[in-house]
Amino acid sequence: MIPEIGHFALWLALGVAVVLGTVPMLGAARGREDWMAVARPAARTLFVLVAVAMACLVASFVRHDFSVLYVASNSNSALPLKYRIAGVWGGHEGSLLLWVQMLCIWMLAVAQFSRHLPLAVLSRILSVMGLISLGFLLFMLLTSNPFERLFPVPADGHDLNPLLQDPGMVFHPPTLYMGYVGFSVAFSFAVAALIGGNLDANWARWTRPWTNVAWVFLTVGIAMGSWWAYYVLGWGGWWFWDPVENASFMPWLAGTALIHSLAVTEKRGSFKNWTVLLAIMAFSLSLLGTFLVRSGVLSSVHAFATDPRRGLFILAFLAVVIGSSLTLYAWRAPTVGLGARFALVSRETFLLANNVLLIVAMGAVLLGTLYPLLLDALNLGKISVGPPYFDTVFVPLMTPLAFLMGVGPLARWKQAALPDIATRLRWAAGVAVVAALLTGWIAGRISLMASLGFVMAWWIVASLATDLWERVRPAGGMPTHVMQRLRLLPRAMVGMMVAHFGVAAFIFGVTMVKTYEVERDVKMDVGDSTQISGYTFTFIGVRDVAGPNYQAVRGAVEITRDGAKVAVMRPEKRVYRVQQNPMTEAAIRPGLLRDLYVSLGEPVEGNAWIVRVYVKPFIDWVWGGCLLMAFGGLLAATDRRYRVRARREESLPAAVLPGASHA
Amino acid sequence: MPRGWAGLAMLVWALCWPVPGLGKEAAPAAEDPVLEARMVRITGELRCLVCQNQTIADSHAGLAIDLRNQMREMIKRGDTDAQIIDYMTARYGDFVLYRPPLKATTALLWFGPMGMLLVGAAALLIVLRRRQRMGADKFELDELDTAEDKP
């Protein structure tokens, strides 16, 4: 009964989406307030219906209802509760439902927290979001119904893929999807503004906090995924340029370009057309990413052929969304104003250059991800595009970006002078080079690639420090004013600085771990030990342990430093009972300056095992940097000017959600 | 905790410590670490054909283990890196290479990013120069709020 309720709720949701996608839009076109008034209640109803469907699917998982095909394929009676819930998004059908659920959350947030928007604008935005949900609901109901029944009912389920049975599965997909789908808000605002012809500074101001919050979710989501790969895949890599990762990275790059472009559009009214195009691009890439990951096309283009309905629907949906928004763009963009004038050398120009680099980087990732699919589809041979390719094309694009990150924030809006910037940054440049060489020297070895990385990281830090000092330095020689000025810095600016500092920390971590990581692959009998980087790893032995749905061998490796015990690490090798694939669970001792990483290989003669041990310097800075970026984005999204506007224009109390303090 | 207790804890802990001589220095997993490093470097750019996007170096699959052994043999025999990669390509096609070879069908892949950068930079320059030549009346009123720029 429960699956039928969920299924029925989805059909009802489809009906509501049709109404939401048409009535308020037509109302806005004809100036009918009663039609526009449908938007908000329809959005809320849609949210409730999809939430009901979601709850039904969760309930089917929790209750082990293996008469539901999707549950039978992705769960098992021995699966722990948290993974039964996470199993909801463990496959194609449930992921789509999660996607729509997230879309509805954003829709509800827009409906709740945008009361100060003119009714026509809000109606158009919600209508566009309604149309997007319509597409996804249709896709689900026509080709990927998560509530499909299975007869005869199997005795037990096929289990969730063991790779996904990890706490990462509980948090990573929802966070990532929240980010992906969050760009639908910027997209819908842009499309609504194109239709309504109100692309002005207000539009940029409305869009900015929403885009920032979506970007924050996406950043955190990607970082979580990377961390998960790091501890679960066994060899301690943190980014593999896997198409699935690229699928989330492309919208991130476009979104990063978008938040920078929005800054100019809000401040100066310039690049409106470009900003709109980026908003369309970021969301289109989110759609593309969702489908790339979920359609099976990545493992083989021929996966499309096994279920041509899905493939065709996906292609048609992408074509409709991207095609119609670009057509609308081509029609409306020429009428959009140029904004305020700026000189060839100005902060505007630097931000545009940043956008060019980010979008070219996104294009390179897109090219590398789709190229093998295209060649295969055209029967021109099968190739693989992997890390060697991406590293080769990506680093040269990021290097100038890091340089610009130092220069841009110091350049004045409208008109800047290169000699002036050079003078102000000469100390930063010197400090960056000296600090980079010093870092290499302390780490033990100065290499060219490492120095390049360190120079980038220190350059960003030093120019940030210069920027900060120029803003707070005592003008009349009163040192007490420094603290006061520090407090007066707008939160958006602090956010920018924190995020840029995060980039520096990220680059620092990547450079450190790529250059100075020490790895040892050893054969260890009980009592054997090996030393790396001053740590002694002693193998104590292994024992069998039984998990809820797996058998494991758990090793114990004691780590000492200068005779003092640091930790006992317990890496595991698991075999999940249903699907019978072996899984490596590395043991990690994280630290600010280094991670110790132990992973069990294969058993060899006697009680000996192949054990792989690593000392990974500064690797946590990779994710720490991402979290700083995200925190910076959050600070910027909650800047006073959005909150003040919201409070002034809203009759209701200030919102609680972070996404709410937008404007 | 009194100092005495700490001392006792230290003593107990020291007694639990494996006696030197009982455990030995662990041997490298590979017979020849130099050969192993070279093998890992080569297989780190080769795709394991039965896995989902993993290198032969990283994979636990039977095929990958066999191929690693085979490559150790080839290195021992004195083959160069190029010879090994040629052998793998002859056997499995370009699909095995994570660094796609530069040929007619992959020219766009390799030169695409550079091309995009050039086009992007040129477009940026053209747009900016065109803006410079436009009359002031084409632009919106300048409402530069300088508050953010002044300390």
Side-chain angles (χ1 to χ4, degrees):
Chain A
M1 186 62 190
I2 288 176
E4 276 66 37
I5 296 174
H7 194 185
F8 187 61
L10 283 184
W11 278 107
L12 285 180
L14 185 78
V16 175
V18 171
V19 172
L20 177 61
T22 48
V23 175
M25 185 71 87
L26 289 174
R30 301 197 174 167
R32 291 278 302 261
E33 279 208 19
D34 49 345
W35 290 12
M36 291 190 261
V38 171
R40 235 186 250 138
R44 285 186 201 129
T45 314
L46 192 58
F47 170 81
V48 171
L49 287 170
V50 172
V52 166
M54 192 72 179
C56 289
L57 190 58
V58 172
S60 302
F61 265 90
V62 172
R63 293 158 44 104
H64 296 299
D65 188 348
F66 298 124
S67 71
V68 177
L69 174 63
Y70 183 71
V71 178
S73 331
N74 288 289
S75 185
N76 180 273
S77 49
L79 193 66
L81 179 66
K82 58 181 173 179
Y83 299 132
R84 295 213 295 280
I85 294 171
V88 168
W89 45 84
H92 168 81
E93 289 83 353
S95 300
L96 287 176
L97 186 55
L98 178 69
W99 207 99
V100 178
Q101 177 72 78
M102 293 303 178
L103 182 63
C104 288
I105 292 176
W106 282 104
M107 208 185 291
L108 189 70
V110 171
Q112 293 304 114
F113 305 125
S114 295
R115 288 165 197 277
H116 53 286
L117 283 182
L119 186 60
V121 177
L122 180 64
S123 307
R124 287 197 189 96
I125 295 168
L126 288 176
S127 248
V128 174
M129 296 182 85
L131 288 173
I132 299 167
S133 67
L134 175 64
F136 268 83
L137 286 166
L138 257 186
F139 183 46
M140 238 193 304
L141 288 166
L142 294 182
T143 74
S144 326
N145 176 14
F147 296 107
E148 200 170 312
R149 291 281 199 171
L150 182 62
F151 191 81
V153 178
D156 210 337
H158 187 247
D159 206 6
L160 183 65
N161 182 347
L163 260 180
L164 303 181
Q165 293 185 28
D166 182 276
M169 186 61 189
V170 181
F171 305 105
H172 164 64
T175 316
L176 192 69
Y177 275 32
M178 199 65 189
Y180 266 165
V181 183
F183 286 139
S184 70
V185 180
F187 171 84
S188 306
F189 267 102
V191 169
L194 278 175
I195 296 174
N198 52 340
L199 279 175
D200 44 26
N202 276 334
W203 154 74
R205 184 162 298 182
W206 290 331
T207 310
R208 226 177 143 188
W210 290 94
T211 310
N212 269 342
V213 173
W215 181 87
V216 166
F217 275 108
L218 190 58
T219 309
V220 174
I222 293 175
M224 275 180 176
S226 158
W227 192 58
W228 181 10
Y230 166 69
Y231 70 74
V232 98
L233 289 181
W235 304 131
W238 52 275
W239 190 258
F240 300 88
W241 292 106
D242 187 271
V244 174
E245 294 169 326
N246 293 348
S248 63
F249 192 41
M250 289 187 285
W252 188 88
L253 286 168
T256 309
L258 176 60
I259 55 183
H260 286 90
S261 172
L262 271 170
V264 185
T265 307
E266 185 193 351
K267 187 88 180 164
R268 305 279 293 144
S270 321
F271 321 163
K272 278 181 206 140
N273 282 338
W274 175 240
T275 306
V276 169
L277 195 58
L278 281 178
I280 294 175
M281 210 187 280
F283 182 60
S284 302
L285 287 166
S286 294
L287 282 182
L288 182 73
T290 310
F291 287 139
L292 272 181
V293 175
R294 285 295 154 205
S295 66
V297 69
L298 287 174
S299 43
S300 160
V301 267
H302 309 295
F304 250 36
T306 56
D307 189 354
R309 284 186 315 158
R310 278 187 188 175
L312 281 177
F313 192 103
I314 287 172
L315 284 180
F317 187 64
L318 277 176
V320 167
V321 173
I322 301 173
S324 60
S325 51
L326 286 183
T327 310
L328 181 68
Y329 175 78
W331 174 43
R332 287 294 201 169
T335 63
V336 174
L338 287 171
R341 187 164 204 160
F342 59 87
L344 217 46
V345 178
S346 57
R347 192 188 290 191
E348 286 91 328
T349 303
F350 285 120
L351 280 164
L352 260 187
N354 138 313
N355 272 221
V356 168
L357 286 168
L358 281 169
I359 292 306
V360 170
M362 184 280 292
V365 178
L366 185 67
L367 191 68
T369 310
L370 293 186
Y371 209 85
L373 303 181
L374 285 177
L375 276 194
D376 194 19
L378 298 172
N379 272 323
L380 290 170
K382 279 176 82 77
I383 63 161
S384 303
V385 180
Y389 170 83
F390 290 106
D391 288 344
T392 310
V393 300
F394 208 71
V395 174
L397 288 169
M398 288 300 107
T399 312
L401 196 63
F403 174 73
L404 282 181
M405 206 178 295
V407 179
L410 270 90
R412 286 189 188 291
W413 291 106
K414 195 174 183 191
Q415 176 132 35
L418 284 181
D420 167 57
I421 297 173
T423 318
R424 286 154 71 200
L425 279 174
R426 65 182 190 281
W427 282 107
V431 166
V433 172
V434 173
L437 291 175
L438 214 62
T439 312
W441 182 68
I442 292 170
R445 181 161 47 93
I446 299 179
S447 81
L448 187 66
M449 280 312 280
S451 300
L452 179 69
F454 291 140
V455 167
M456 283 199 270
W458 283 114
W459 162 251
I460 294 169
V461 173
S463 53
L464 270 178
T466 309
D467 191 16
L468 189 62
W469 176 244
E470 284 187 2
R471 285 174 202 283
V472 301
R473 114 183 105 198
M478 292 286 280
T480 47
H481 289 172
V482 172
M483 283 314 290
Q484 208 178 339
R485 278 165 196 265
L486 212 53
R487 270 199 297 277
L488 283 175
L489 282 180
R491 195 187 279 193
M493 177 163 299
V494 178
M496 180 269 281
M497 290 177 172
V498 170
H500 284 183
F501 185 74
V503 177
F506 173 84
I507 296 175
F508 191 81
V510 172
T511 312
M512 271 290 181
V513 78
K514 271 204 181 264
T515 320
Y516 304 107
E517 171 185 279
V518 186
E519 165 194 349
R520 187 74 56 81
D521 216 358
V522 285
K523 200 184 298 178
M524 286 185 138
D525 216 327
V526 174
D528 283 3
S529 59
T530 188
Q531 281 93 21
I532 48 176
S533 305
Y535 293 94
T536 306
F537 296 73
T538 308
F539 189 57
I540 296 174
V542 296
R543 63 190 177 90
D544 291 327
V545 283
N549 54 345
Y550 60 82
Q551 276 306 125
V553 178
R554 182 182 292 164
V557 175
E558 189 179 58
I559 296 171
T560 54
R561 183 179 187 139
D562 305 326
K565 183 166 159 183
V566 177
V568 175
M569 314 217 347
R570 304 185 191 283
E572 285 182 23
K573 278 196 88 88
R574 293 181 184 169
V575 176
Y576 283 79
R577 283 185 207 116
V578 178
Q579 299 192 357
Q580 287 293 321
N581 20 359
M583 291 279 307
T584 312
E585 289 272 318
I588 298 165
R589 171 93 178 172
L592 194 59
L593 303 182
R594 53 93 202 108
D595 271 18
L596 305 174
Y597 187 109
V598 178
S599 151
L600 273 186
E602 308 300 320
V604 279
E605 71 275 8
N607 289 324
W609 280 73
I610 299 291
V611 180
R612 194 176 277 203
V613 293
Y614 289 94
V615 174
K616 292 171 175 288
F618 291 90
I619 187 157
D620 288 323
W621 288 44
V622 170
W623 306 292
C626 293
L627 291 184
L628 278 177
M629 288 181 224
F631 181 61
L634 203 60
L635 283 179
T638 53
D639 188 77
R640 193 162 166 272
R641 67 180 181 280
Y642 307 120
R643 284 176 291 144
V644 167
R645 273 177 55 90
R647 214 172 298 140
R648 201 171 53 220
E649 296 176 23
E650 272 182 50
S651 49
L652 283 150
V656 196
L657 282 170
S661 33
H662 59 85
Chain B
M1 191 161 64
R3 278 192 74 88
W5 280 108
L8 189 63
M10 286 282 281
L11 184 71
V12 169
W13 175 76
L15 286 175
C16 297
W17 191 240
V19 186
L22 197 83
K24 57 185 187 313
E25 179 72 29
E31 291 165 29
D32 179 355
V34 177
L35 180 149
E36 194 68 9
R38 199 173 138 207
M39 190 277 295
V40 167
R41 188 167 45 77
I42 299 171
T43 52
E45 290 202 357
L46 298 177
R47 183 183 199 128
C48 164
L49 294 127
V50 295
C51 317
Q52 204 167 25
N53 205 13
Q54 257 189 327
T55 64
I56 293 180
D58 285 354
S59 173
H60 300 287
L63 176 70
I65 294 167
D66 291 345
L67 283 172
R68 285 200 294 264
N69 283 331
Q70 193 174 349
M71 262 172 246
R72 286 190 192 103
E73 292 304 317
M74 293 176 83
I75 294 174
K76 270 185 209 159
R77 208 169 64 195
D79 286 8
T80 64
D81 290 9
Q83 275 171 321
I84 295 174
I85 288 183
D86 282 347
Y87 169 81
M88 289 297 288
T89 322
R91 201 162 151 191
Y92 298 109
D94 288 343
F95 188 63
V96 78
L97 305 175
Y98 268 127
R99 184 190 296 275
L102 182 57
K103 48 168 79 172
T105 49
T106 59
L108 187 62
L109 175 68
W110 279 106
F111 296 116
M114 180 54 78
M116 282 188 279
L117 184 62
L118 290 178
V119 170
L124 177 65
L125 267 182
I126 291 169
V127 167
L128 289 178
R129 293 190 73 97
R130 199 197 290 156
R131 278 183 79 110
Q132 294 309 306
R133 284 198 297 270
M134 281 180 184
D137 55 316
K138 292 270 200 308
F139 293 93
E140 279 158 35
L141 202 62
D142 198 0
E143 309 166 22
L144 182 56
D145 164 21
T146 47
E148 198 180 311
D149 270 330
K150 284 183 185 159

